[in-house]
Amino acid sequence: MGNGDYDSYSSGMNVESVHRVAIPPPQPFFESLKYSMKETLFPDDPLRKFKNQPASKKLVLALQHFLPILEWGPKYTLPFLKSDLIAGITIASLAIPQGISYAKLANLPPILGLYSSFIPPLIYAMMGSSRDLAVGTVAVGSLLMASMLGREVSPTENPTLFLHLAFTATFFAGLLQLSLGLFRLGFIVDFLSHAAIVGFMGGAATVVCLQQLKSILGLEKFTHKADIVSVMNSVFSQTHEWRWESAVLGCCFIFFLLVTRYFSKRQPKFFWVSAMAPLTSVILGSILVYLTHAEKHGVQVIGNLKKGLNPPSATDLVFVSPYMGTAIKTGLITGIIALAEGIAVGRSFAMFKNYHIDGNKEMIAIGTMNIFGSLTSCYLTTGPFSRSAVNYNAGCKTAASNIVMSIAVMLTLLFLTPLFHYTPLVVLSAIIVSAMLGLIDYQAAIHLWKIDKFDFLVCFSAYIGVVFGSVEIGLVLAVAISVLRVLLFIARPRTFVLGNIPNSSAYRNVEHYPNAHHVPGILILEIDAPIYFANASYLRERITRWINEEEEKIKGAGSTSLQYVIVDMTAVANIDTSGISMLEEFKKSVDRKGLQLVLVNPGSEVTKKLNKSKFLDEIGHKWVYVTVEEAVGVCSSFMLHTQKANPMKDESEGLNNV
């Protein structure tokens, strides 16, 4: 099919009705690179509010950017204070027992849980962009820290070094979080998919619940490993050490906490019942132990908690080998997990209230509070879901609820810590178990199974990795499978055969629309991804296979022979040199078969590269169209024209068929 034939035919056509694909104007390389970097690092265009502003206004806007309290603080009203006061006192009643519980889970002194609920919330209230996030320690971060640091240093044999490593790991976690926010690299956190987080959190919650069997059964010795096999082996190898008093007390408080949570879910206006339940459990448990002297009958208690505010810990940070490497590794992993949880929780509640939170601001705020926390005897903090949910339900209006909570914790540290002396550890374990059961989201796992089996595989792998291996193994498995899925999407993109929807000009996937019919003599294909070195070879082979299958189908049916291959490139956002080489080789392949390659709607970036590589000259600009409809119209008309110009061919074909 020569160019002369096309030109002689097209001269008789209404060429004005066909829209040609325009070649975009050339753009300097550095301009293109600048645009790509801006879209990657500054998709929200944070500098637009600084445009055309005087220097004084720019300074105020910059301060408000890093300290949002300067933005909402001047607009603060008395009704806001009333709401935040109620919310702050409510979350403090949850933060105090949870803080003590999670510190024990991290194998750290219980007082650190209160320290960590004092300084970090104050910093977040000034720097955070979420109105609903309630800051504090979290179970998963506590478990991770206990597990990872415990492999190098025993918390019982060398508690001081273990404590200092916890501060150091928190420092490096904060440094990572702050760096990600300042350099706007928060998209790295997105590699933890929703499915991975569901499985990871569920597995960690399961492990945390199992480890509480130590306190519930009143065991003195227990494994430091987190996998289910080690935990169950430790439990059932000490059946003679089980304390029924402790077990009964633990089961009763777990039942009480679960009932109050169920009641609050059924009656949202009574949210405070569930919020006050942990502190109520601590008070009741302490009174019960004090009156019955249960500590002498196998029920372990917290003991003395020293009064006073956070002592400085800057000189306690460990920057010497071999422990510094362990602290960095622990800090990086716990920092990423804490960041993912905090941002996910903040975004969830922001969506409910229809406002926006800045992910990079959140990273800076969380990172800063962990750095300052590590210098003031705090360990890893973020925005836990349970505490934030209580804050949201309590009607908080701004981040000032964190300030109220912090003041309540400060008063507890100054005056009330002796009251926790008789608090039984089994009550703290009951609080942890009741909180963790809410993180095992089996309904989300069932939803993943129904919607996307691969996502369910990611979720299940993360869960199994955590429960039967370790928290790190589960995390690595989840991320690895998620990345594998991304690579599969890139390396094996989808290609479709398109057909015409009856009585319309639309062309759609024939598998999706079975009633879409093929156009005789034309194979229409769609590529559903950018063409890169990773998928170029696969695409060439897949498209060739489509052509071979179409030719075999036509040969079997004895219909019009294949003459055109139309490739819809609407979804091809970009192409590299390997992709262009693939198209050149494919063009030669279809030429040898006597077919004509036609391109439809290549994007601006693709068109520029195809033009610079001279591929458009090679294929002919006349074989590049804006829509599939136009391409099919021209090809069909041209086939009709050639058939009329050669009637003897039709007659001979008819005789041969007879």
Side-chain angles (χ1 to χ4, degrees):
M1 187 180 298
N3 290 338
D5 295 335
Y6 181 93
D7 294 336
S8 62
Y9 165 65
S10 61
S11 61
M13 285 182 58
N14 183 11
V15 183
E16 294 179 358
S17 64
V18 178
H19 300 88
R20 296 299 181 195
V21 173
I23 307 297
Q27 187 177 20
F29 170 73
F30 286 105
E31 286 293 322
S32 178
L33 180 64
K34 178 183 175 182
Y35 176 79
S36 298
M37 293 296 290
K38 179 183 176 183
E39 289 302 305
T40 302
L41 302 178
F42 303 97
D44 54 341
D45 193 14
L47 300 178
R48 73 180 179 279
K49 60 185 177 182
F50 292 90
K51 293 176 183 176
N52 304 320
Q53 297 288 349
S56 58
K57 181 65 174 177
K58 287 181 179 179
L59 177 61
V60 172
L61 290 173
L63 289 173
Q64 289 178 345
H65 180 80
F66 289 102
L67 295 171
I69 193 172
L70 297 178
E71 185 175 355
W72 58 262
K75 307 172 189 175
Y76 203 72
T77 62
L78 192 61
F80 279 14
L81 177 61
K82 179 182 176 183
S83 299
D84 288 337
L85 194 63
I86 295 172
I89 293 172
T90 306
I91 56 175
S93 67
L94 178 64
I96 293 168
Q98 267 193 355
I100 296 172
S101 304
Y102 293 159
K104 289 292 291 180
L105 179 61
N107 292 326
L108 295 169
I111 193 67
L112 257 68
L114 297 182
Y115 290 161
S116 301
S117 297
F118 172 46
I119 297 293
L122 289 176
I123 296 171
Y124 183 82
M126 293 186 289
M127 302 184 68
S129 61
S130 172
R131 305 172 196 166
D132 303 281
L133 206 68
V135 170
T137 55
V138 287
V140 175
S142 302
L143 173 68
L144 264 172
M145 194 160 284
S147 173
M148 297 183 72
L149 295 180
R151 294 200 191 106
E152 298 295 327
V153 178
S154 171
T156 53
E157 296 175 7
N158 200 342
T160 302
L161 178 58
F162 186 88
L163 176 64
H164 293 174
L165 285 178
F167 294 151
T168 312
T170 302
F171 174 80
F172 283 112
L175 201 60
L176 169 71
Q177 294 163 341
L178 179 62
S179 302
L180 290 177
L182 289 175
F183 293 107
R184 304 186 69 83
L185 299 175
F187 60 87
I188 294 175
V189 178
D190 293 336
F191 279 99
L192 282 173
S193 65
H194 171 69
I197 291 175
V198 168
F200 177 79
M201 290 294 187
T206 302
V207 169
V208 169
C209 289
L210 290 173
Q211 287 201 330
Q212 300 319 301
L213 291 173
K214 175 187 177 183
S215 297
I216 291 174
L217 297 175
L219 300 175
E220 296 284 347
K221 298 178 181 179
F222 206 72
T223 180
H224 294 297
K225 296 181 180 179
D227 63 283
I228 187 172
V229 176
S230 301
V231 170
M232 299 312 293
N233 181 57
S234 183
V235 168
F236 287 103
S237 63
Q238 304 182 73
T239 52
H240 57 285
E241 299 288 339
W242 292 5
R243 299 281 186 173
W244 68 267
E245 301 94 334
S246 181
V248 170
L249 197 61
C251 291
C252 289
F253 278 109
I254 290 174
F255 179 76
F256 168 70
L257 291 165
L258 292 179
V259 167
T260 55
R261 180 192 293 174
Y262 178 78
F263 176 75
S264 293
K265 280 186 177 180
R266 295 294 299 269
Q267 302 290 335
K269 64 181 179 181
F270 292 105
F271 68 89
W272 53 269
V273 173
S274 177
M276 295 294 291
L279 186 59
T280 304
S281 299
V282 168
I283 294 171
L284 290 176
S286 300
I287 293 173
L288 184 63
V289 169
Y290 178 77
L291 294 177
T292 62
H293 301 287
E295 76 276 11
K296 298 178 182 178
H297 301 282
V299 177
Q300 302 168 357
V301 296
I302 289 179
N304 291 323
L305 290 180
K306 60 180 181 180
K307 294 169 65 174
L309 302 180
N310 304 32
S313 57
T315 57
D316 296 334
L317 301 184
V318 180
F319 295 125
V320 295
S321 59
Y323 302 113
M324 183 177 172
T326 302
I328 292 175
K329 177 184 172 185
T330 304
L332 295 182
I333 293 178
T334 56
I336 288 289
I337 294 298
L339 206 55
E341 181 175 357
I343 292 177
V345 170
R347 283 176 176 168
S348 298
F349 289 110
M351 181 180 65
F352 293 148
K353 287 189 176 179
N354 195 28
Y355 70 92
H356 173 72
I357 68 168
D358 187 328
N360 289 291
K361 280 185 185 178
E362 290 299 285
M363 293 176 198
I364 293 172
I366 294 174
T368 303
M369 75 183 188
N370 276 315
I371 290 175
F372 275 92
S374 69
L375 305 178
T376 53
S377 299
C378 304
Y379 79 103
L380 188 74
T381 53
T382 186
F385 178 80
S386 58
R387 204 175 300 185
S388 300
V390 169
N391 195 31
Y392 172 83
N393 289 325
C396 68
K397 298 298 182 184
T398 68
S401 59
N402 279 287
I403 299 176
V404 176
M405 176 186 70
S406 184
I407 293 172
V409 173
M410 178 190 72
L411 295 174
T412 302
L413 285 167
L414 289 174
F415 306 110
L416 304 178
T417 50
L419 299 179
F420 293 97
H421 178 91
Y422 288 101
T423 300
L425 297 183
V426 67
V427 171
L428 302 183
S429 293
I431 293 170
I432 292 174
V433 169
S434 65
M436 289 302 96
L437 289 176
L439 292 180
I440 304 175
D441 196 350
Y442 65 90
Q443 291 180 333
I446 294 172
H447 181 71
L448 290 173
W449 172 260
K450 291 179 179 178
I451 302 300
D452 191 324
K453 300 295 190 294
F454 202 105
D455 265 354
F456 177 80
L457 177 63
V458 172
C459 173
F460 187 69
S461 299
Y463 182 85
I464 293 298
V466 172
V467 172
F468 287 94
S470 66
V471 176
E472 303 96 290
I473 290 174
L475 182 61
V476 169
L477 268 176
V479 172
I481 296 177
S482 297
V483 171
L484 176 62
R485 184 173 199 185
V486 173
L487 294 176
L488 286 175
F489 278 142
I490 295 173
R492 294 294 182 267
R494 300 290 303 276
T495 57
F496 310 105
V497 174
L498 303 183
N500 179 238
I501 303 293
N503 303 317
S504 78
S505 60
Y507 290 82
R508 296 293 183 267
N509 181 3
V510 295
E511 292 182 2
H512 186 187
Y513 296 90
N515 64 328
H517 59 75
H518 295 267
V519 181
I522 303 173
L523 174 62
I524 311 169
L525 301 174
E526 179 183 356
I527 300 175
D528 197 26
I531 305 176
Y532 293 121
F533 65 93
N535 62 25
S537 178
Y538 166 77
L539 284 173
R540 182 180 63 250
E541 295 171 0
R542 187 68 188 93
I543 295 173
T544 301
R545 185 148 48 97
W546 279 124
I547 294 173
N548 293 336
E549 290 173 0
E550 184 70 14
E551 287 181 328
E552 290 174 4
K553 190 186 301 180
I554 290 173
K555 187 176 180 181
S559 55
T560 306
S561 62
L562 183 63
Q563 297 184 39
Y564 296 92
V565 177
I566 299 176
V567 180
D568 185 359
M569 302 183 72
T570 303
V572 181
N574 212 328
I575 191 170
D576 67 357
T577 53
S578 298
I580 295 171
S581 297
M582 181 275 286
L583 288 179
E584 291 171 344
E585 292 176 19
F586 179 65
K587 170 70 169 57
K588 293 175 183 176
S589 174
V590 296
D591 285 347
R592 286 193 296 269
K593 289 176 175 287
L595 307 176
Q596 176 62 54
L597 177 63
V598 183
L599 301 184
V600 170
N601 197 29
S604 60
E605 196 67 26
V606 176
T607 304
K608 278 193 292 185
K609 292 182 180 179
L610 293 180
N611 185 54
K612 288 180 179 179
S613 67
K614 306 299 181 184
F615 181 76
L616 292 184
D617 295 334
E618 183 181 341
I619 190 177
H621 290 262
K622 57 184 170 289
W623 293 114
V624 185
Y625 296 95
V626 175
T627 66
V628 175
E629 180 189 5
E630 288 182 350
V632 171
V634 171
C635 294
S636 298
S637 299
F638 189 55
M639 282 193 297
L640 182 62
H641 173 77
T642 53
Q643 286 174 358
K644 287 181 178 179
N646 190 10
M648 295 300 296
K649 180 181 178 184
D650 296 335
E651 292 176 9
S652 62
E653 286 179 354
L655 291 172
N656 290 334
N657 289 334
V658 174

